[in-house]
Amino acid sequence: MAVIIDGKKIAQETRAEIAAQVAEQKNQGFTPGLAVIIVGENPASQVYVRNKHKACGEAGMYSEVIALPEATTEEELLSVIARLNDDTKIDGILVQLPLPKHINETQVLNAIRPDKDVDAFHPVNTGKIMIGNPDFLPCTPAGVMVMLKKSGIDVTGKHCVVVGRSNIVGKPMAMLLLAANGTVTVCHSKTQNLAEVTRSADILVVAIGRADFITGDMIKEGAVVIDVGMNRRADGKLTGDVEFASCAEKASYITPVPGGVGPMTITMLLQNTLTAAALHHKQ
Ligand code: GUN
């Protein structure tokens, strides 16, 4: 039976460390500040944004939520970003995704100053991650790396299989595992013989967005299984991309959903905001 990696506990410990560093920055005369922009009324996004705002307050940071109506034009959104780019109270800017269809997401993300891009979605930051010289790490993959580290799991030389190739999780996850000296394979919906590949994983990270997609017969005995999935079942319950019961029997370590990777994501956003403030106030 696998050890269950407690994301909630690791997130709490990490947030306490961040809060101590925020207090230190305040002693030096500045307060890290985050601006979160939400366009429209997607209920899931509203919950995420509220949680981000609350987490900032708990860590002692300044935060602003800018809620714009669904009908906001791309120009209007770009002018809000331009104002925040120049606002010295604001160290980090996050535009909650998805955006309404009439707004070009790429244009918007590229308008955020790279040194305030706490999501690490700007091409400058994705490029820095690629060459192994990052200022910010994308929140979800960074959270996974902290969970591995705090659980005493060494990535060096291990076969790490990432299922999913999104810009938000799969691709940067592969880069971070590679930077930690893992041997990395990225799989996706077109991969042939997927189960054969996942069965060869020492560390399996799943971010494909399909409920209970990875079953016990698709993993190796003793594998570390990290579930980034967040799917809503017909009965309203949250479930991951990994069938927990059958995988927990074979894995050495496994993350649950909820209470696994989820709580780490906002924690890493706080970390990036702290890092941005330190960059902006470097002597
Ligand atoms: N929507 C879902 N995940 C994310 C994320 O990591 N960042 C932003 N900005 N929006 C999201």
Side-chain angles (χ1 to χ4, degrees):
M1 185 68 192
V3 173
I4 296 172
I5 301 177
D6 186 344
K8 232 169 139 173
K9 181 159 165 270
I10 297 173
Q12 269 168 5
E13 286 166 12
T14 312
R15 285 187 201 195
E17 290 162 17
I18 292 168
Q21 292 178 68
V22 172
E24 179 59 32
Q25 290 189 333
K26 283 179 162 171
N27 278 338
Q28 290 172 32
F30 60 95
T31 302
L34 176 71
V36 179
I37 305 172
I38 176 169
V39 185
E41 284 170 10
N42 179 319
S45 290
Q46 286 175 325
V47 173
Y48 292 137
V49 167
R50 217 176 303 134
N51 289 342
K52 287 167 184 171
H53 183 58
K54 184 164 161 258
C56 281
E58 286 167 1
M61 293 182 181
Y62 171 74
S63 80
E64 276 179 29
V65 174
I66 296 143
L68 302 172
E70 177 83 22
T72 302
T73 64
E74 192 173 307
E75 282 84 49
E76 285 167 337
L77 178 55
L78 290 173
S79 79
V80 171
I81 292 171
R83 172 172 66 74
L84 295 167
N85 278 343
D86 290 337
D87 184 339
T88 53
K89 289 193 304 302
I90 298 301
D91 296 293
I93 303 169
L94 180 145
V95 177
Q96 187 65 31
L97 303 178
L99 286 167
K101 289 204 168 37
H102 64 275
I103 297 178
N104 183 321
E105 186 178 297
T106 306
Q107 298 274 36
V108 168
L109 295 180
N110 290 3
I112 298 172
R113 250 171 65 168
D115 63 317
K116 294 193 176 188
D117 171 36
V118 285
D119 258 329
F121 291 167
H122 191 286
V124 165
N125 287 319
T126 55
K128 284 184 159 191
I129 292 159
M130 185 74 140
I131 61 173
N133 180 30
D135 294 318
F136 306 113
L137 298 178
C139 299
T140 301
V144 171
M145 296 310 288
V146 171
M147 292 175 96
L148 293 173
K149 187 154 188 223
K150 292 224 174 194
S151 305
I153 298 160
D154 188 9
V155 174
T156 303
K158 303 279 173 61
H159 187 205
C160 305
V161 175
V162 179
V163 185
R165 56 173 158 177
S166 70
N167 289 333
I168 296 186
V169 184
K171 284 189 223 170
M173 186 77 248
M175 285 303 128
L176 300 195
L177 290 164
L178 187 60
N181 298 317
T183 302
V184 182
T185 302
V186 182
C187 302
H188 46 80
S189 56
K190 303 279 196 295
T191 297
Q192 293 183 357
N193 304 320
L194 178 74
E196 223 168 83
V197 186
T198 57
R199 268 197 294 272
S200 73
D202 302 309
I203 298 173
L204 180 65
V205 182
V206 192
I208 197 161
R210 285 162 67 172
D212 301 327
F213 181 74
I214 299 289
T215 46
D217 58 313
M218 294 170 76
I219 69 165
K220 175 161 84 176
E221 195 76 45
V224 174
V225 179
I226 307 291
D227 188 354
V228 183
M230 186 91 89
N231 310 290
R232 188 82 52 191
R233 281 212 179 102
D235 64 4
K237 279 221 175 98
L238 266 188
T239 184
D241 292 351
V242 172
E243 190 184 73
F244 187 82
S246 62
C247 289
E249 268 178 37
K250 278 173 90 179
S252 56
Y253 290 86
I254 192 166
T255 62
V257 177
V261 176
M264 290 304 294
T265 298
I266 292 184
T267 306
M268 301 325 288
L269 173 66
L270 299 176
Q271 176 65 61
N272 283 344
T273 306
L274 182 80
T275 303
L279 276 176
H280 294 143
H281 293 88
K282 209 160 46 181
Q283 251 84 46

